[in-house]
Amino acid sequence: MTAGVRLVILGRQGAGKGTQCTRLSRHYVVPHISTGEMLRAAVKEGTELGRKAAEIMNDGGLVPDDVMIGIVDERLDHDDTTRRGYILDGFPRTVPQAKALAEITDARRLDLVIDLDVPKAIVLQRLASRRVCADCGANYSVDKPPRYDWVCDDCGGEVEQREDDTPAAIEKRLADYERETAPLIDWYRDMGLLDVVDGLASANEVSLRLFAVIDLRRGS
Ligand code: AMP
């Protein structure tokens, strides 16, 4: 079996992180840890975290750092991640989160951080037409719908527009990304951990680009 990997994926909302992380997770046999998915699951279940996060998420805001750090710290302690690694999608999103992650992973350092780069004008179009499965998170779009009447091809769940894919929330999330998350690109570059991958190609082509940079870093 291929070696695992400890990976962070950065990139604007709509860059294709969700789709690519699902593929990377299958390829390297490590869990895909999406903080957005974890929060959406908590909202659906109506947990205390979900109730607190729902309003912030719908407005396109960021859930407080201490809450997010606690969630990720706990998740990275599970056996599946300590054995083979993980792919973090949506975390870290701020400098305090990145600093906390460095501490959490001190004993088992990150292999690399990838910036999946897609220009803002393109992600704006993608987000406006994006549709997702409410159950498994699979991604579709108005141009590439599921085969049958907005029923997920993978799990049979209902495919719908995300509540935070409204024009106002999209604008806010992208502004937050430039202000809070984009500085992490230089931060990780200075640490010698960053690779930039051009995300403007077919999903298959982007996956091949990702496999290539990851395998090069791991020397495999
Ligand atoms: P995503 O699916 O990654 O776009 O995340 C959806 C929403 O969840 C974001 O717009 C935030 O409200 C919240 N969220 C997810 N990850 C984080 C994080 N690391 N820090 C703060 N908020 C987050």
Side-chain angles (χ1 to χ4, degrees), residues 35-36 39-40 57 61-63 68 90-91 93 97 162 164:
T35 45
L39 291 171
R40 280 186 287 279
M57 292 170 74
L62 289 177
V63 174
M68 298 311 303
F91 186 97
R93 250 178 164 96
Q97 292 182 15
R162 260 171 60 166
D164 58 353

Side-chain angles (χ1 to χ4, degrees), residues 190-205:
D190 290 347
M191 291 168 74
L193 280 175
L194 188 86
D195 277 304
V196 180
V197 169
D198 180 358
L200 209 51
S202 69
N204 284 345
E205 172 59 30

Side-chain angles (χ1 to χ4, degrees), residues 179-215:
R179 197 180 58 247
E180 306 280 350
T181 312
L184 299 183
I185 294 171
D186 284 336
W187 201 73
Y188 282 120
R189 185 179 285 119
D190 290 347
M191 291 168 74
L193 280 175
L194 188 86
D195 277 304
V196 180
V197 169
D198 180 358
L200 209 51
S202 69
N204 284 345
E205 172 59 30
V206 174
S207 299
L208 293 176
R209 292 176 185 172
L210 290 166
F211 297 152
V213 296
I214 294 168
D215 291 346

